[in-house]
Amino acid sequence: MSIFSLKFLAFIIVLLIAYFGIFRKYQWQCLLLASYVFYVMVGGYLSSVFILLSTITVFLGARAIEGKESPKKKRILLTVLIFNLAILAVIKYGRFALGLVGLGGAVGIGDVVGVEGAVGTEGAVGDIFSKIGLPLGISFYTFQALGYLMDVYRGKAKAEDNPFKFALFVSFFPQILQGPISRFGELHEQLVDTHKFSFERLKLGAERMLWGYFKKLVIADRIAVMSNNIYSNYEVEGYAGLTIFIGVIFYGIQIYADFSGGMDIVIGLSEALGITLPENFRQPFWARSVSEFWQRWHVTLGTWMRDYVFYPLALSKPFARLGKKARNVFGNKTGKVIPTCIASFIVFTLVGIWHGSGWNYVIYGLYQAMFVATGTLFAGAYEKVDDALHISNDNKAWHIFQMMRTLVIITFGRYLSRAASVSDAVGMIKATFSSFNPHIIYDGTLLNLGISGKEMLVLIISIIIMFSADVIHEKGCRIRETLETKGLFLRWAIYLAGIFVVVIFGVYGYGFTSAGFIYQGF
């Protein structure tokens, strides 16, 4: 069941009627049933085994941790963490690992790819991985469940004593596809509370969902035609120079529209149900550094990594000893940030690996880590250079330069995160610098990448609308709330125009078939 289908729309309508009407005294039970029905319909029965395993082990582990002495608590914590992370690692990275050691067939580095379709592991083992596939939302619900477990261990959350309520926290269906990764303290009470029907809330949720469908169906899926063509056929078609670079830029816009559009649908649907989920994007293309970009992109993954990986590493005794030695060798100012830089490298390497099972994802994580860590390490030197050149932090031209610089750095990372392998990424980079062809902007070349001139016009106008909304949000204006202050005629004109655009240029646009979310594969 695709969330772009009429079947999903019928599913939501039935749920809303049951949730606010027929079973209004049993709302959380209704949500739990709906979540598992959705999970089985989208992910299949086999996927359900894994989410049940995670739910049961983490629930029992948290109950066992509460009230135990410290040594016992730690043993229980480590056992449950290792068990769940092992399931994630084997299913998501097992084929990649077997390929590295040469089991199941000779596999070269270039043969091991990410979530786009791993190859190289043959025979019975390969058949097992193919049958299992990637269970729906496994990265998201595993991190969410383990975050709860660590919060119970730290005394920041009380262990839930109802296994079914905890199962709802893990499996809440709007966020199971691609997050956001919620915290127990933020979400649990909302899920089990009783919510009264609110037409205002329903309307605001529907508006947010419509905006998400616009970004996904009109922008992301339209760009996918071009980006898939360039990434898959750059050698066959002889694409080079600016053609590839523009394609990679478009892919960056595609993944933003795809992921943030999915978040709008998820958050809007939850809002209609009376549940507030955390925001996952804060206008990332307005970031002035790579570090800031990751504070604005996939926010809940970043905060999860910060709280459960970065801080435990940076504040650990081994890192404290490392910091002391570094200060003795490099001086106090430089030495004290070295442990932070190393922790950042570890975190971003994990973020890269989280995105997929291939060397390209490992290198992608290290690439991002390099800019984040050096930004921290040389922050003082950069300030001195700015002072020497009399560059003001309030200078708008300087802000624009920083944003463009960050965009270029992030864009080059897209070669790695989207290419099928390291060798493909390297080949595309070489082809990008092998030709200087600015004429492709005006000679019609861009119209031979899979979409027509009319479709390109629709795409460009849609992208302008999306980024205009980002500009407005960056300035602190909330568009939905502002729209509520306008006249009835204007509001409904905008609503109907939005529906018309999504239906005509999205779902039913000629030659376009809506694909699953990109991050659904992560």
Side-chain angles (χ1 to χ4, degrees), residues 317-332 334-336 338-339:
K317 290 181 179 179
F319 272 67
R321 290 194 293 268
L322 174 63
K324 185 176 181 179
K325 291 180 181 178
R327 287 193 296 273
N328 291 334
V329 175
F330 300 105
N332 188 61
T334 302
K336 70 179 181 181
I338 286 179

Side-chain angles (χ1 to χ4, degrees), residues 27 59 163 217 296 443:
Q27 286 185 338
F59 173 79
L217 297 176
R296 292 167 171 260
D443 69 359

